[in-house]
C-alpha cells in the first residue's frame, strides 16, 4: 500500500513540474530570434513607400481621407479601430472590390493599376455617416519621386550630353 501512495505522490509531483515548465504563462525563452528583437515594419498612413501605401481606419474614418498615388501601388487598409469596418469601391476604373467585414487589427489590400479617381466607402459602419475616401491614381511618371529621390538617368545617353547626374562621378 505504501508503494502505491509513493507512486501517487511521485505522479502528482511530476505533473506539477510539467505544468510549471509548460506553455501557458510568461517566463521561459521559447521561440524568439537569436539576433534580438526587431522593429515591426511601419508605414506612415498616406505616404507611398516601396510601392505600398497604408490607409488607417480609426474612429470611424479613413486616415488620410484623400491620397494621390502612382499606378501599380499596393494599398493596404488597416482597421485600427475597436469595431468592424470594411472597404468597398463605390466608383472608379477597374474591377470592383469589397473587403467584407474587417475585424479590429485586420487588413485588406488591393493593387491599383489603372489611373483615375477611386471612391471608397466603409459599408460595414452602421451609422448614417459612413466613412468615405478618395484615391487618385496617376501614371508613374507623373508622380513626384519620394523625398530625397531623383529621377533615374536615361537608359541611353543623348549624343553630346552626359547621362550622369550633376555632382556624381561616372
Amino acid at each position: 500500500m505504501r508503494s502505491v501512495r509513493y507512486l501517487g505522490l511521485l505522479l502528482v509531483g511530476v505533473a506539477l513540474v510539467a505544468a510549471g515548465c509548460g506553455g501557458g504563462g510568461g517566463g521561459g525563452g521559447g521561440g524568439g530570434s537569436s539576433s534580438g528583437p526587431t522593429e515591426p515594419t511601419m508605414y506612415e498612413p498616406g505616404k507611398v513607400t516601396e510601392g505600398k501605401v497604408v490607409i488607417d481606419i480609426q474612429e470611424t474614418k479613413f486616415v488620410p481621407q484623400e491620397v494621390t498615388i502612382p499606378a501599380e501601388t499596393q494599398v493596404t487598409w488597416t482597421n485600427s479601430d475597436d469595431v468592424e469596418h470594411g472597404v468597398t469601391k463605390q466608383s472608379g476604373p477597374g474591377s470592383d472590390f469589397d473587403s467584407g467585414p474587417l475585424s479590429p487589427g485586420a487588413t485588406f489590400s488591393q493593387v491599383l493599376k489603372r489611373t483615375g479617381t477611386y471612391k471608397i466607402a466603409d459599408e460595414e459602419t452602421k451609422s448614417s455617416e459612413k466613412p468615405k475616401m478618395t484615391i487618385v491614381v496617376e501614371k508613374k511618371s507623373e508622380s513626384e519621386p519620394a523625398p530625397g529621390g531623383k529621377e533615374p538617368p536615361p537608359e541611353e545617353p543623348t549624343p553630346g550630353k552626359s547621362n550622369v547626374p550633376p555632382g556624381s562621378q561616372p
Side-chain angles (χ1 to χ4, degrees):
M1 208 37 127
R2 223 175 176 180
S3 62
V4 172
R5 188 178 295 161
Y6 285 128
L7 180 61
L9 287 174
L10 178 64
L11 290 175
V12 169
V14 168
L16 288 174
V17 170
C21 295
S33 168
S34 62
S35 62
T38 59
E39 289 290 319
T41 303
M42 300 296 285
Y43 293 100
E44 180 181 331
K47 182 179 177 186
V48 177
T49 305
E50 300 173 0
K52 298 177 183 178
V53 66
V54 171
I55 306 297
D56 229 4
I57 308 170
Q58 51 184 265
E59 298 178 11
T60 63
K61 64 181 177 182
F62 292 106
V63 178
Q65 292 179 316
E66 192 169 315
V67 66
T68 300
I69 61 173
E72 300 182 26
T73 297
Q74 178 182 352
V75 182
T76 300
W77 289 267
T78 301
N79 183 358
S80 297
D81 208 346
D82 56 0
V83 296
E84 284 188 343
H85 287 286
V87 176
T88 303
K89 183 180 129 188
Q90 293 186 313
S91 66
S95 301
D96 289 344
F97 54 83
D98 185 347
S99 67
L102 293 174
S103 300
T107 62
F108 174 73
S109 294
Q110 286 288 304
V111 175
L112 301 182
K113 296 179 180 181
R114 294 182 150 176
T115 59
T117 301
Y118 294 73
K119 297 289 185 178
I120 309 295
D122 175 1
E123 297 294 335
E124 297 298 321
T125 295
K126 305 296 184 231
S127 72
S128 60
E129 192 63 35
K130 296 183 184 296
K132 295 181 180 181
M133 73 168 302
T134 302
I135 301 174
V136 176
V137 178
E138 299 177 337
K139 289 182 184 176
K140 281 188 172 186
S141 61
E142 290 178 11
S143 298
E144 293 182 28
K150 297 180 182 177
E151 292 293 324
E155 293 287 324
E156 296 192 21
T158 305
K161 289 190 168 188
S162 171
N163 67 340
V164 178
S168 300
Q169 295 296 325

